[in-house]
Amino acid sequence: MSDAPTLQYDVSVGDLHQRIAVRLLRTTAQGARVYGLRVAGGAEQEVEVTRPEAVVLNLLVGDRSVEAGAVPQADGFLVDLNGLNHEVAVVDPRQRALRQGASDGAAAVRTQMPGRVVRVLVAVGDKVEKNDPLVVVEAMKMENELRSPRAGTIKRIAVQQGDLVEAKATLIELG
Amino acid sequence: MSAPSPNPAQIPAEAPSAPRCPPRRPIRRVLIANRGEIAVRVIRACHELGIETVAVYSEVDRKALHVRMATHARCIGPAPSRESYLRAEVVLAVARETGADAVHPGYGFLSENAVFAQQVIDAGLVWIGPQPFSIQAMGSKTESRARMAAAGVPVVPGTTEPLRDEAEAEQVAAAIGYPVMLKAAAGGGGKGMRRVMAADEMASAWRAARSEAQSSFADDAVYIEKLILEPRHVEVQVLADAHGSCVHLFERDCSIQRRNQKVVEETPCPVLSPETRAAMTAVAVQAAKAVAYEGAGTCEFLYGADGSFYFLEMNTRLQVEHPITELVTGFDLVQAQLRIAMGEPLWFTQDDLQQRGHAIELRVYAEDPTAGWAPSPGPVPSYREPTGPWVRVDGAVYAGSEVPIYYDPMVAKLAVWGVDRAAALQRAARALREYRVRGIKTSIPFFRALIQDPDFVSGHYSTAFLDPARMDRLIAAMPPAQPELAALVGAIAAYDRDLAKASQPSAAGAAGTSSAPSASPWKWSLR
């Protein structure tokens, strides 16, 4: 087990952005895995983890028992702690380099909730201002308007009226 | 599917003069024309009574819990409700084809559709609900209020006809007593409405209401209603058989609402005096009898801070919040619906019913309180319900289920019982702390703040409780975020994912999964 690699991740939770290095240290006699975690180059701390369910982790941090859900999402995990959900974006630094090369400053407008596209309010080439409504998505009988995060030109529209979209799906790219 | 009945259902216009007194008729197989938690609730009652069940489901509900639990199941169309759960003729045809001898509508969908009820009866099936006449009589708010007023039931005093002039407005206001509300006859959405707290405010309020009504609706007609200050929404559960007997099962306080949707309910109402309870429950029975009611129904009242109460409307079906009544009375309302539908006379009297202890229900909505209550449907890969002493969850979510985007966002109801209100609140806090719905966001963390709110704890609240300022306070008082810890969990989960991918270089391709092997550059470096 000692030959397990150390992997680094850029992790974002709201305003918190941290680079975290993870390595698997050992597996205990009870089958729990012990990880070494180093946040932003600090001292390594040990955390013992079991997986009672595929998307559930039980962490022992010292004597403290923490149950956490970690449901995979498009850009990371939906992590619940004490019943409260946290959107955790996880990027590994090498991927970020690849991605940044591919996109040339375009902004993706994503939907936070899955649903059905009720209306597309813009066309490719349209100039929009910040907060202009772009797309209306409906779920559970509620309509939500997606607004432009900044001024720009519509470069690509990835959906049309009636499409079903997943959470975090890119609907529009803004140039 | 057979064609819909060529003859439109005929619903009698007047209440029958005598009880129906139908012969006893066993029910062997019930079709449940609903989905979600209420379909599951009805299935449970049926199976307890040895009755088979037919689930109907839309194309996205194939994996739904009610389909898994029922003894029979049939798909009735595409996901949108109007193409499946609302198609009366398809539901009716499936009932005939699957050999069902009765239909339970649950709540919502077809439950208050008098025409559908009549069609069920005309098809020779048992309708588990009130007679179509009663549904119709209580169906329109204005019509039912007029009918109730005629039967001597208190309704909010006022005029329903437009007022001629200011003089008449002053005269009516003096007669019903200030404060009053002027309302645009063509109105809605708060436009053309003016509070008038005392006589000296009438002149300016009258002018303002009229001109706003004119500019908003091109109609300056205005009528007047008594203003109920800080009202509570209190409702009374009734149960009536087809032989003329009717009892009540006490009240439920449903004042905690968001956008006119109930969020939290409790029983007993924490501020109702025994005298008012006696008066209100008597009025509810009187209202039910006035429309020859059969089965389970609910009379809703506005309850004013001064102790006055007024009839609002009657819901001619099982209510979402019925479990709290079951918890304090020990009485199964859905079983009762079934037995009454089988023609059984009430097997108990009013004196046999008691309110014991205190019960609270919290409605779990798939909505994100921190994002303007945006809907949060989606897969639920992990789910843990609170259990233990005196905790009840009516839900249809399980680990591996999915909350579809097409239907109501309410996914479960958490109901708790305690020997008194304080004990019930403690139990609710414990149950909420235990509850985990993973993969989607819910109102559960919001409730953990709400049940600690001093005004809620004191029991002194009104329908205005969840005003914008309090909403902000409660959202701020939710269990605190732990971003540092969440980041560690995210990093560990990502590490496990990438390590698993790296150790199975061919698995992703061989299994045909959508996650491309190239998704992680670590795979190459670890080879």
Side-chain angles (χ1 to χ4, degrees):
Chain A
M1 273 301 172
S2 57
D3 61 345
T6 298
L7 302 183
Q8 293 200 61
Y9 299 98
D10 286 339
V11 185
S12 300
V13 188
D15 297 334
L16 179 79
H17 307 280
Q18 286 180 328
R19 177 160 293 185
I20 301 177
V22 188
R23 63 180 179 134
L24 179 62
L25 297 175
R26 61 184 178 278
T27 301
T28 69
Q30 296 91 38
R33 297 170 109 184
V34 180
Y35 299 85
L37 294 154
R38 203 184 287 276
V39 178
E44 187 172 71
Q45 54 173 316
E46 286 194 10
V47 176
E48 184 186 310
V49 179
T50 59
R51 288 249 185 189
E53 297 177 48
V55 298
V56 179
L57 290 75
N58 180 222
L59 283 61
L60 292 183
V61 189
D63 285 341
R64 206 169 136 226
S65 170
V66 176
E67 188 185 74
V71 178
Q73 293 199 304
D75 57 354
F77 297 88
L78 186 64
V79 172
D80 82 74
L81 291 167
N82 188 22
L84 197 78
N85 277 300
H86 302 69
E87 303 266 2
V88 180
V90 183
V91 178
D92 77 51
R94 298 170 58 164
Q95 252 185 327
R96 184 199 298 272
L98 290 175
R99 246 188 235 166
Q100 273 169 352
S103 74
D104 46 14
V109 179
R110 300 161 191 267
T111 169
Q112 283 304 310
M113 62 176 202
R116 178 185 291 272
V117 176
V118 185
R119 278 183 298 281
V120 179
L121 304 167
V122 290
V124 171
D126 282 2
K127 294 212 183 310
V128 294
E129 295 299 319
K130 188 177 176 180
N131 283 331
D132 277 0
L134 305 178
V135 181
V136 181
V137 178
E138 183 207 7
M140 296 173 155
K141 320 235 177 287
M142 259 185 69
E143 290 194 355
N144 270 37
E145 248 179 18
L146 268 95
R147 291 164 178 276
S148 182
R150 60 168 169 82
T153 309
I154 304 296
K155 250 179 77 180
R156 191 171 79 90
I157 299 178
V159 291
Q160 52 186 11
Q161 190 175 327
D163 281 0
L164 292 177
V165 292
E166 300 289 324
K168 304 281 174 70
T170 298
L171 307 187
I172 279 180
E173 277 175 28
L174 205 58
Chain B
M1 306 289 170
S2 57
S5 160
N7 299 319
Q10 296 292 316
I11 301 165
E14 277 310 310
S17 52
R20 286 197 303 130
C21 300
R24 298 284 285 269
R25 176 181 175 182
I27 292 172
R28 295 191 177 84
R29 186 178 294 173
V30 171
L31 179 138
I32 298 132
N34 218 302
R35 64 178 302 282
E37 68 87 14
I38 195 59
V40 171
R41 171 71 188 91
V42 175
I43 288 170
R44 287 183 170 136
C46 289
H47 290 179
E48 284 169 6
L49 294 179
I51 298 170
E52 292 188 334
T53 46
V54 181
V56 294
Y57 61 95
S58 74
E59 285 164 7
V60 292
D61 272 344
R62 175 63 187 83
K63 282 170 62 187
L65 188 59
H66 72 289
V67 178
R68 296 171 59 189
M69 285 176 66
T71 58
H72 301 69
R74 190 73 89 78
C75 183
I76 51 166
S81 309
R82 64 183 176 283
E83 295 172 42
S84 48
Y85 296 106
L86 286 172
R87 287 178 68 190
E89 75 287 358
V90 176
V91 173
L92 209 54
V94 168
R96 286 201 210 91
E97 290 164 17
T98 55
D101 46 20
V103 173
H104 194 302
Y107 54 71
F109 293 136
L110 297 166
S111 62
E112 289 176 282
N113 183 329
V115 173
F116 178 63
Q118 189 63 51
Q119 285 172 337
V120 168
I121 294 165
D122 291 348
L125 307 174
V126 174
W127 167 252
I128 301 168
Q131 291 297 297
F133 159 78
S134 310
I135 300 175
Q136 186 136 301
M138 289 298 191
S140 145
K141 257 191 183 185
T142 49
E143 196 192 311
S144 71
R145 276 195 223 195
R147 192 183 284 273
M148 288 302 104
V153 170
V155 297
V156 178
T159 61
T160 45
E161 296 299 311
L163 298 158
R164 279 192 311 276
D165 49 30
E166 194 195 319
E168 191 190 3
E170 282 175 1
Q171 193 187 330
V172 175
I176 61 179
Y178 287 93
V180 297
M181 183 77 99
L182 295 174
K183 290 185 172 181
K191 289 276 163 55
M193 280 171 59
R194 278 292 179 282
R195 277 168 173 243
V196 193
M197 300 305 288
D200 61 353
E201 294 176 16
M202 180 58 93
S204 71
W206 171 257
R207 281 193 302 276
R210 294 249 305 188
S211 79
E212 202 169 290
Q214 178 65 38
S215 62
S216 300
F217 313 110
D219 177 357
D220 66 0
V222 167
Y223 70 98
I224 203 165
E225 235 177 48
K226 188 168 175 62
L227 176 65
I228 313 301
L229 287 174
E230 293 177 40
R232 297 177 77 111
H233 174 119
V234 181
E235 60 185 27
V236 175
Q237 175 74 52
V238 299
L239 203 55
D241 65 18
H243 305 268
S245 298
C246 181
V247 297
H248 70 83
L249 289 93
F250 310 98
E251 82 283 5
R252 293 182 290 256
D253 191 314
C254 313
S255 304
I256 308 285
Q257 305 184 358
R258 194 180 74 83
R259 286 204 242 147
N260 293 318
Q261 273 219 323
K262 295 170 189 169
V263 175
V264 180
E265 301 97 348
E266 62 178 314
T267 182
C269 166
V271 297
L272 207 60
S273 68
E275 296 74 30
T276 310
R277 176 175 296 114
M280 191 185 278
T281 51
V283 165
V285 169
Q286 184 189 349
K289 284 187 168 173
V291 293
Y293 201 81
E294 292 178 23
T298 296
C299 289
E300 299 190 337
F301 297 93
L302 267 187
Y303 176 57
D306 60 355
S308 60
F309 65 88
Y310 304 97
F311 175 86
L312 272 184
E313 61 177 324
M314 183 169 189
N315 297 126
T316 54
R317 53 168 165 80
L318 191 67
Q319 293 280 86
V320 173
E321 58 273 22
H322 74 276
I324 55 172
T325 295
E326 298 184 323
L327 288 174
V328 295
T329 60
F331 192 87
D332 187 317
L333 284 167
V334 185
Q335 276 196 17
Q337 286 188 301
L338 290 160
R339 290 174 67 175
I340 288 168
M342 287 190 262
E344 198 172 330
L346 288 188
W347 50 99
F348 56 91
T349 67
Q350 186 68 61
D351 292 342
D352 296 327
L353 295 165
Q354 277 178 37
Q355 254 174 331
R356 257 190 81 246
H358 199 95
I360 300 172
E361 176 182 272
L362 303 130
R363 297 191 185 189
V364 179
Y365 288 98
E367 293 175 335
D368 184 355
T370 62
W373 299 86
S376 182
V380 180
S382 168
Y383 178 76
R384 185 177 64 205
E385 248 168 38
T387 57
W390 293 293
V391 172
R392 164 176 171 176
V393 176
D394 285 63
V397 184
Y398 57 88
S401 67
E402 182 156 355
V403 177
I405 65 169
Y406 297 95
Y407 312 110
D408 193 273
M410 196 194 78
V411 294
K413 305 178 305 201
L414 168 62
V416 299
W417 182 89
V419 72
D420 54 25
R421 190 166 186 267
L425 284 173
Q426 278 181 339
R427 185 150 286 131
R430 185 271 289 176
L432 286 166
R433 184 181 159 150
E434 237 174 80
Y435 211 154
R436 292 288 182 279
V437 186
R438 296 194 167 102
I440 62 171
K441 291 166 186 164
T442 72
S443 48
I444 292 170
F446 178 78
F447 289 142
R448 290 175 67 176
L450 188 150
I451 61 162
Q452 294 183 18
D453 179 279
D455 291 332
F456 181 72
V457 171
S458 77
H460 292 283
Y461 54 79
S462 74
T463 54
F465 178 77
L466 288 179
D467 58 27
R470 193 186 308 264
M471 289 290 247
D472 291 346
R473 280 207 304 282
L474 292 178
I475 286 165
M478 281 169 33
Q482 303 176 68
E484 285 85 6
L485 192 52
L488 292 185
V489 171
I492 294 169
Y495 183 90
D496 282 356
R497 174 196 65 196
D498 293 344
L499 213 60
K501 270 187 209 152
S503 65
Q504 299 171 315
S506 60
T513 61
S514 56
S515 63
S518 61
S520 168
W522 296 109
K523 196 193 138 202
W524 317 323
S525 60
L526 292 172
R527 251 180 207 159

